[in-house]
């Protein structure tokens, strides 16, 4: 990784400072070359009259503010990786957005300070590391310096590493809280725009569809000047879900829809039948995992494992075991009904309960209930053989 330590004065950093009141973000500095809080990322949180004032008091007393880190987007454009809150505090103060209390207990905004204090602030120097490097380098480095404040999450970090036209456009679409589609997306994708969750999901799906990881996809598209493919794929998944499933259930949120889309979108479905199947399964008390209902239905209702169908409880198994064993003893046959039917050495074997498993006489998937009337105990071998059919 290439790093370069540079000194900037406060007046250079706050040149062209813009603060967006509506979004609560410090946006630009360094005559427009510096993006302070990359748009749609987290908000400014120092505006509490204490943390922000402490930053200004430090400058007035000549205390160091600590290192600041910039990520070099290109030769003339930088983003703040660490130091967003400090820089925004300084920018807001010098543009008159808040006051500090002076040694006499009077509130002072920047322009009401004495000229020597004003110039002390503007001439204060900030130490900035400019960084440029590969993903691994930046990740390792992040771990090492143990950045103060709120750490960047995985997607924010990737955005910094692969920053460029593609990420900027992708964030405008997927990390924009003002995007009217967010409500619709939230039915199927968990998270928030400001924490980059929709962007992370869109990238992961589009990458997986091409057998790639998110990192590789972002690297390959880094210099793209459009996000058509990413957007089209994401919207196809969204449209497919709402086309197949008429009702929105809360368990649909956060499923692996990208994978399900790839596996099933070429099959045709009758939405009313799908809706009926989902409702039936939701009404089935034996279905433990409702999140599995959607893949179960998409797959033609063949894989009950997805539903984690409730198993027979211990008292039921014990009762059935006792009944079967008593009647087997009377007849002199095996207490496993399938062994009793056969001609092997186990024809008359009385199994212990620990060597038997409970089985649905009528398969659950064919409507058989998980109750005592539909329970039989089979020896391990027969139970497994039946389960494999
Ligand atoms: Zn058996």
């Amino acid at each position: 990784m290439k790093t370069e330590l540079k000194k900037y004065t406060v007046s250079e950093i706050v040149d062209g400072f813009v603060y967006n009141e509506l979004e609560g973000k410090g946006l630009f500095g360094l005559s427009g070359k510096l993006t302070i809080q990359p748009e749609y990322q987290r908000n400014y949180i120092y505006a509490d009259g204490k943390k922000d004032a402490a930053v200004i008091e430090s400058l007035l007393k000549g205390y160091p503010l600590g290192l600041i880190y910039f990520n070099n987007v290109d030769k003339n454009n930088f983003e703040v990786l660490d130091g967003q809150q400090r820089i925004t505090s300084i920018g807001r103060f010098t543009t008159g957005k808040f006051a500090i209390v002076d040694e006499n207990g009077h509130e002072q905004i920047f322009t009401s300070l004495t000229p020597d204090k004003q110039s002390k602030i503007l001439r204060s120097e900030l130490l900035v590391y400019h960084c440029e490097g590969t993903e691994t380098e930046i990740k390792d480095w992040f771990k090492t310096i143990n950045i103060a404040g709120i750490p960047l999450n995985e997607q924010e970090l990737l955005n910094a590493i692969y920053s460029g036209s593609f990420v900027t456009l992708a964030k405008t679409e997927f990390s924009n809280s003002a995007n009217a589609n967010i409500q619709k997306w939230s039915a199927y994708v968990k998270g928030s725009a400001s924490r980059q969750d929709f962007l992370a999901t869109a990238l992961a799906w589009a990458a997986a569809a091409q057998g790639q990881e998110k990192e590789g996809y972002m690297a390959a598209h880094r210099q793209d000047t459009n996000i058509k493919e990413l957007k089209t794929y994401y919207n196809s998944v969204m449209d497919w879900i709402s086309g197949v499933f008429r009702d929105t259930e809360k368990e649909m949120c956060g499923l692996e829809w990208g994978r399900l889309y790839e596996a099933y979108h070429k099959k045709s479905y009758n939405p009313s039948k799908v809706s009926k199947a989902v409702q039936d399964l939701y009404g089935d008390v034996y279905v433990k995992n409702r999140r599995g209902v959607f893949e179960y239905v998409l797959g033609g209702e063949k894989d009950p494992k997805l539903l984690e169908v409730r198993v027979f409880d211990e008292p039921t198994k014990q009762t059935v075991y006792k009944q079967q064993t008593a009647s087997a003893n009377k007849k002199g046959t095996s207490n496993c009904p399938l062994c009793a039917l056969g001609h092997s050495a186990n024809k008359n074997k009385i199994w212990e309960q620990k060597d038997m498993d409970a089985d649905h006489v009528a398969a659950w998937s064919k409507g058989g209930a998980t109750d005592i009337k539909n329970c039989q105990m089979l020896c391990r071998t027969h139970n497994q053989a039946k389960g494999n059919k």
Side-chain angles (χ1 to χ4, degrees):
M1 181 167 73
K2 279 198 335 210
T3 58
E4 196 187 349
L5 189 60
K6 283 192 185 171
K7 274 184 195 170
Y8 291 98
T9 61
V10 161
S11 89
E12 287 174 307
I13 294 274
V14 300
D15 182 24
F17 177 82
V18 176
Y19 183 74
N20 183 328
E21 284 292 345
L22 192 70
E23 294 195 33
K25 280 168 186 170
L27 299 180
F28 308 109
L30 271 181
S31 330
K33 287 190 287 191
L34 180 68
T35 302
I36 298 171
Q37 287 181 288
E39 217 170 342
Y40 314 122
Q41 277 204 17
R42 72 171 64 97
N43 295 358
Y44 176 61
I45 52 172
Y46 265 29
D48 60 359
K50 281 180 189 159
K51 290 200 195 78
D52 49 2
V55 170
I56 304 310
E57 278 148 22
S58 298
L59 293 178
L60 284 170
K61 288 177 179 160
Y63 296 163
L65 273 191
L67 283 173
I68 283 170
Y69 296 89
F70 290 175
N71 175 44
N72 290 0
V73 178
D74 58 41
K75 228 166 53 189
N76 283 310
N77 289 286
F78 321 117
E79 280 184 355
V80 180
L81 276 180
D82 190 39
Q84 297 172 350
Q85 306 293 329
R86 284 167 285 170
I87 291 177
T88 303
S89 298
I90 298 169
R92 289 184 80 238
F93 185 71
T94 56
T95 51
K97 297 288 192 297
F98 69 96
I100 56 164
V101 178
D102 69 10
E103 60 275 18
N104 303 315
H106 300 305
E107 287 211 340
Q108 304 283 359
I109 59 166
F110 182 72
T111 48
S112 67
L113 288 174
T114 57
D116 64 305
K117 282 185 176 172
Q118 289 185 25
S119 106
K120 175 147 198 191
I121 288 175
L122 292 176
R123 282 182 300 143
S124 299
E125 285 183 329
L126 301 176
L127 273 180
V128 176
Y129 261 114
H130 281 260
C131 310
E132 228 181 299
T134 65
E135 179 190 351
T136 322
E137 286 170 335
I138 294 187
K139 270 189 181 162
D140 286 348
W141 167 74
F142 257 76
K143 278 184 212 144
T144 316
I145 64 161
N146 186 22
I147 286 177
I150 313 155
L152 299 180
N153 68 22
E154 191 222 354
Q155 188 59 46
E156 286 169 333
L157 188 54
L158 290 178
N159 291 350
I161 295 164
Y162 299 109
S163 60
S165 47
F166 181 74
V167 160
T168 304
L169 289 169
K171 282 203 288 190
T172 311
E173 174 68 14
F174 295 105
S175 309
N176 178 357
S177 319
N179 187 327
N181 290 318
I182 283 184
Q183 205 188 344
K184 180 184 165 190
W185 296 347
S186 298
Y188 312 126
V189 178
K190 233 183 219 155
S192 75
S194 61
R195 290 301 271 164
Q196 315 292 326
D197 295 306
F198 300 112
L199 176 61
T201 302
L203 288 166
W205 289 353
Q210 300 177 13
Q212 273 185 309
E213 295 292 322
K214 209 163 52 172
E215 285 83 348
Y217 189 87
M218 290 181 80
H221 291 273
R222 185 168 183 179
Q223 309 299 342
D224 289 5
T225 50
N226 72 76
I227 54 162
K228 235 189 249 167
E229 179 191 276
L230 180 70
K231 206 171 147 179
T232 306
Y233 188 81
Y234 184 80
N235 288 335
S236 306
V237 178
M238 290 291 142
D239 293 345
W240 174 75
I241 309 170
S242 55
V244 175
F245 297 100
R246 273 187 191 161
D247 314 304
T248 312
E249 305 290 352
K250 71 175 194 299
E251 287 82 5
M252 295 171 99
C253 184
L255 295 182
E256 296 172 61
W257 288 112
R259 178 178 64 77
L260 296 175
Y261 173 79
E262 281 300 311
Y264 299 109
H265 80 276
K266 288 184 181 139
K267 280 182 71 174
S268 70
Y269 295 95
N270 175 335
S272 3
K273 281 192 184 153
V274 166
S275 172
K276 169 95 172 49
V278 170
Q279 292 318 314
D280 286 350
L281 290 160
Y282 264 63
D284 191 323
V285 293
Y286 299 114
V287 171
K288 242 182 6 184
N289 179 26
R290 287 186 162 181
R291 292 175 62 77
V293 161
F294 307 93
E295 185 168 6
Y296 179 73
V297 172
L298 289 169
E301 311 194 23
K302 288 190 188 117
D303 186 3
K305 277 200 296 296
L306 292 166
L307 305 173
E308 291 168 28
V309 175
R310 269 175 227 286
V311 292
F312 294 106
D313 56 25
E314 273 316 308
T316 303
K317 287 197 258 186
Q318 211 160 28
T319 309
V320 172
Y321 175 80
K322 278 187 189 148
Q323 288 169 353
Q324 275 180 216
T325 308
S327 111
N329 277 330
K330 249 187 240 165
K331 292 188 231 160
T333 60
S334 170
N335 59 348
C336 165
L338 295 182
C339 285
L341 285 177
H343 301 285
S344 77
N346 291 336
K347 206 168 162 342
N348 312 103
K349 183 169 170 112
I350 298 295
W351 299 91
E352 286 185 44
Q353 194 188 333
K354 67 175 173 48
D355 296 320
M356 301 184 92
D357 282 321
D359 172 62
H360 286 79
V361 179
W364 176 87
S365 54
K366 303 214 166 72
T370 306
D371 61 21
I372 196 158
K373 280 182 246 137
N374 194 33
C375 177
Q376 65 179 349
M377 297 298 285
L378 297 180
C379 73
R380 285 266 149 79
T381 316
H382 275 123
N383 189 56
Q384 274 161 16
K386 199 177 164 186
N388 289 341
K389 261 180 218 162

